[in-house]
Structure formats: structure tokens, C-alpha cells
Amino acid sequence: MRALKERIIPGPKSAELLDISRACEPSCAADQVPVVWDHGEGVWVTDVDGNEYIDFTSGVLVTNLGHSHPYHVEAIRRQAGRLMNCYSFPTPERVTLSRRLVERFPPNLDNVFLLSTGSDATEAALRVAKRHTGKFEVLGFYGGFHGRTYGAMSVAGSMGIRRLFGPPVPGGIMAPYAYCYRCFYGRTFPECDFFCLDSLDTIIASSSSGELGAVIVEPYQGSAGFIFPPEGWLKRLEAWSKERGLLLIVDEVQSGFGRTGKFLAIEWENVRPQLLCLGKGLGSGLPASALAAESRIVECMRPGELSSTWGGNPLVSASSLAVLDILEREGLTENARKVGEFVERRLQELRDKHRGLGDVRGRGLVFGLEIVDPEDAWTPSGDLTIKVLHRCAQKGLLLGRVGAHGNVIRIAPPLVITEEEVNLGIGIIDVVLSELGQSFCR
Ligand SMILES: Cc1ncc(COP(=O)(O)O)c(C=O)c1O
């Protein structure tokens, strides 16, 4: 196991590149600790100054295989020397990938359309849903995130995504998600008996013009702060949608491909959406996404209506085939589940120890740590979160930050991580939280 020592960040080469970045790149990219990545291997990343870090980010839940997995790299190299793009002409790589994906999906999802980004997939889902149902309204959830394109933005529940961009696409109706730590209705689970789902009818009655056709939902909300609804919530939402004749779109752009300890997060509750959006882990580094659909639904689209310059190109398809191979051969989904249980235990220990850790939630290898004012567990502390991220990076651990208040630490390492590596990373968080002062500890 590699040893980590404290370092000054940014190092000199990083500082130079960050200056260039500040001079010629806009500051609107998501902010990060000042580490300029050079290369990666498995869960380890090395910056341009030669400092090593454990990566608890997977980029942004992308590199499920770990960085530069040799089999993945070789598959990409081989395909790059054969054929990279041919628009929508079929290739063996694309059709084989489609077949293998369909074989892994719940049986009702018998078609798949390959695209490039998560936003492409959610946009495609919205278009199909609107065309198929002939209705333009879509129910989304507070805190939901489905991408930064206009359609996706219009059914997202985070104000930050819509702010000052003019009118969204009409038809988005919003309802509270099951964020039990900060319940919108001030209730407590399980006594509430999913009151938030029961309230949907009232919301629809007051907000819909009678043209509601679909529901779009994440199995857990990522950007909003890794909010995991209680078990049974998604299943009940599925039933609610079905009873009202609504299409269910599940956005698994970040939760798919083993991340939660199942190939798809919907498998935990055997949920069967009619449309399923995939991305991130499908490429594990290259831009790959997909819309899985029931053929009877997607057939409403005419030739060319979902077409994309890059979607399903042979290079990315060969890469995604390698992703599926590696996930299966190396049992990475099982590893996510097994190591994830260990992560959960370790994080709960941390929570018991540190008062500034308001909530710990997650499944598989995706967790959110909600950082709060140590004196008041309900007050989010974005500033403290930034300090934790910075100190962790100085000690050799890379983390992400999400949440409406920027106070949730994202823990989502590549699925190849071992318990030993987890221990090293969580040990760093523990030390940093302790360093932040006695008041932080219980
Ligand atoms: C749940 C979800 N949907 C959609 C997207 C958009 O994906 P992309 O950034 O690839 O367009 C994301 C990205 O973070 C996401 O987490």
C-alpha cells in the first residue's frame, strides 16, 4: 500500500497551470481543490507535481473501473486504430453493446439508444415521453438534477440550475423528494408512512393543467446531496405513477453500472420504469450514455429524431463493451456492495464521534456526509465543508462537494477500491475532522 504524506497544494507546476486556467478559462466550472491531475491508476491519482492522492470522486462518479484500467485502455487503443466514427451506420461494436445492455436490463426495457452525455439521455427521455403520451407536463422533484440542457433543467428541482436563465420549458411540476433528514413537511419516517407521496395528488391537482404524462426521478438524488429515500419509496412512486397512467422515467445517469452495489439501482426494489437514463459509468472515462426504453414506447419517434453525431460511435461502444466485461469479470458490483458495507460502518463510527457530521447516508460505493454547525445539527455548514475538502487534499485524499447548501461531502471512489484503501481515506477524514477543533467532536 502506498504511503501518503502531507503536501502543499497547489504545488509549483499546479500553481502555474491554475494561473493559466484563471487567465483563459471562465470561472463557471464546478470549483475544486487546487489539484491539477496528471495521471491515474486504479483509485490513485498523481498530480503534475508528483503528489499522489486516493481518489474518492471517480471524477464525478464516472471512472467506476478505476483510472486507466489496462483492459479498458487496450480496448480503446485497438478500436482507435480500426474505426472511430461513422455517424449512425451500424457497427458490430454498437449493436453488440446494445444487445448486451438490453440483456442486462429488466425485461420490459427491450430497446436502447446510445448517446454521449447524461443530459442527452434525459432530454431524449423527455422527448419520447412527451411524444408517446401526447402530454407536455412532467413531474420532477425538489433537488432533482437531470443535466444542464433546457429540457433537463426545466424538470430539475435545484434553483441553482435555473437561476437567471429565463423561462424554463413549460410543463415542469415539482414536488418534495423524500429527504428525511430535512423533511419538507417536518415529518419523521416511518411514522409519516410516505406522506410526501400521498401529497403528490394535491400538488398535481393545484399545479397541473391536466396534461401530466410522466414522472422523472433519481433513485437517490446526487447533486442535491446524496439523498437516499427510505426503502419502499421508489416502489411506491412506481405504483402511484402506474395507477395514474403516467410514464416513469428513472434517471440512473450516476447510479448505474454497479455504483450502488447492484448493476442498476432500480434492482434494489425491482422497479420497472418505462424509460431509463444511463451515463457516467457506462463510459468509465469516455462520454457514453444511453436511453433504455420499452420498444412500444420509443417507436413513436421517427428516423433521425433521436440522432446524435457521437452517440454509439464505434470507439465509445468498444470502450463500453470493455466496461461491461470488466464489471462482470472482476465482480465490481459485488465489490461495491461488500466494500460499501465496510464504508458505511466506518462512516457511522465517524458520525458517532464528530458532532459536525449531521448525517451519513449512502449505499454501495456512494455516500454523502452532511457537514453541519457542530452546535446545531440543522444548520448546514458549507464553509466548514470547503475546509475539510482542502485539508483532506493536503493529506492526500480527493473528495467532492454537493448539496443545495454546498455542505455535503461526496464519497464515491472507483468500484475497484479495497477496504485497506477505504480505511486510509476515511482515516484522513477522521483526522481532519478532529483537527478542526474539539467543538467538532462529540
Ligand atoms: C442524475 C444525473 N442526471 C443527469 C446528469 C447529466 O449528465 P451529464 O453531465 O453527462 O450531461 C447528471 C450529471 O451529474 C446526473 O447526476
Side-chain angles (χ1 to χ4, degrees):
M1 172 89 113
R2 305 173 205 210
L4 288 168
K5 49 182 192 311
E6 187 131 354
R7 73 286 313 267
I8 293 169
I9 55 165
K13 285 190 186 157
S14 300
E16 215 173 288
L17 288 161
L18 288 168
D19 280 346
I20 299 173
S21 165
R22 270 188 289 274
C24 61
E25 294 182 331
S27 58
C28 57
D31 61 337
Q32 299 282 4
V33 291
V35 171
V36 180
W37 293 32
D38 185 69
H39 61 274
E41 185 189 354
V43 299
W44 294 87
V45 166
T46 306
D47 73 10
V48 290
D49 293 290
N51 298 306
E52 288 196 315
Y53 303 81
I54 307 180
D55 176 22
F56 269 17
T57 71
S58 304
V60 56
L61 299 106
V62 169
T63 49
N64 286 9
L65 307 180
H67 298 286
S68 300
H69 190 293
Y71 181 92
H72 191 205
V73 171
E74 186 44 38
I76 295 168
R77 206 190 302 271
R78 205 177 324 114
Q79 187 60 40
R82 279 168 42 81
L83 185 69
M84 287 200 247
N85 200 300
C86 53
Y87 184 43
S88 57
F89 286 97
T91 61
E93 291 76 26
R94 191 188 83 197
V95 297
T96 309
L97 176 62
S98 297
R99 176 178 55 76
R100 283 189 58 190
L101 285 171
V102 165
E103 280 168 6
R104 287 299 272 107
F105 295 152
N108 66 313
L109 296 174
D110 56 350
N111 267 207
V112 65
F113 194 82
L114 298 169
L115 293 147
S116 304
T117 69
S119 308
D120 287 351
T122 53
E123 288 289 335
L126 293 169
R127 289 159 80 94
V128 172
K130 290 182 186 191
R131 172 69 63 76
H132 174 80
T133 61
K135 295 182 173 170
F136 75 101
E137 288 177 344
V138 177
L139 175 68
F141 289 90
Y142 296 176
F145 179 72
H146 306 289
R148 293 186 190 278
T149 45
Y150 260 79
M153 169 188 103
S154 304
V155 290
S158 301
M159 197 259 277
I161 296 158
R162 303 161 171 238
R163 197 159 54 94
L164 300 178
F165 289 131
V169 177
I173 297 175
M174 294 296 145
Y177 196 74
Y179 187 2
C180 299
Y181 184 66
R182 298 179 188 279
C183 176
F184 179 81
Y185 296 107
R187 308 223 169 188
T188 313
F189 184 78
E191 293 74 33
C192 69
D193 192 24
F194 296 123
F195 178 81
C196 52
L197 286 179
D198 292 339
S199 70
L200 291 180
D201 285 316
T202 317
I203 292 171
I204 303 307
S206 59
S207 309
S208 171
S209 62
E211 298 235 34
L212 182 64
V215 179
I216 185 163
V217 68
E218 294 159 84
Y220 66 81
Q221 287 191 330
S223 300
F226 294 96
I227 298 162
F228 284 74
E231 211 170 317
W233 186 85
L234 196 59
K235 193 72 193 161
R236 206 142 133 183
L237 177 67
E238 178 191 36
W240 181 88
S241 309
K242 199 170 173 189
E243 279 158 22
R244 285 147 190 83
L246 306 173
L247 290 187
L248 180 64
I249 307 169
V250 176
D251 179 352
E252 286 233 34
V253 166
Q254 66 163 259
S255 55
F257 301 96
R259 178 54 63 184
T260 67
K262 295 268 189 195
F263 183 71
L264 298 172
I266 50 171
E267 291 171 19
W268 284 104
E269 294 188 11
N270 201 19
V271 169
R272 297 276 167 92
Q274 288 75 51
L275 294 164
L276 177 76
C277 307
L278 299 162
K280 297 185 188 276
L282 173 60
S284 198
L286 291 195
S289 71
L291 173 65
E294 294 183 5
S295 48
R296 68 175 181 96
I297 288 172
V298 78
E299 74 189 6
C300 63
M301 304 301 281
R302 290 189 296 264
E305 284 191 326
L306 282 186
S307 102
S308 145
T309 301
W310 304 107
N313 72 69
L315 181 68
V316 171
S317 298
S319 151
S320 295
L321 280 168
V323 169
L324 296 181
D325 285 346
I326 298 165
L327 278 177
E328 276 168 32
R329 282 187 205 165
E330 299 188 9
L332 296 187
T333 303
E334 294 70 30
N335 193 58
R337 196 159 56 231
K338 189 175 119 296
V339 178
E341 283 166 11
F342 177 72
V343 174
E344 179 158 24
R345 276 200 306 281
R346 290 286 288 113
L347 291 178
Q348 291 300 349
E349 281 165 24
L350 243 58
R351 186 177 167 276
D352 293 342
K353 183 170 164 191
H354 298 287
R355 272 196 297 162
L357 264 190
D359 195 24
V360 167
R361 47 193 180 238
R363 181 172 237 173
L365 282 172
V366 48
F367 285 86
L369 310 187
E370 189 153 338
I371 304 285
V372 293
D373 181 339
E375 303 305 325
D376 169 17
W378 302 111
T379 306
S381 187
D383 291 347
L384 210 52
T385 313
I386 292 171
K387 279 189 200 149
V388 174
L389 257 59
H390 199 90
R391 282 299 290 142
C392 284
Q394 287 174 328
K395 290 177 179 295
L397 174 66
L398 296 175
L399 296 161
R401 186 166 73 100
V402 286
H405 308 283
N407 72 318
V408 179
I409 292 180
R410 158 158 50 81
I411 296 192
L415 309 187
V416 291
I417 199 162
T418 62
E419 289 188 1
E420 211 181 358
E421 288 161 335
V422 160
N423 241 341
L424 192 61
I426 294 184
I428 291 175
I429 301 176
D430 190 11
V431 169
V432 166
L433 293 181
S434 302
E435 264 181 20
L436 283 171
Q438 280 306 315
S439 65
F440 206 75
C441 298
R442 287 185 202 279

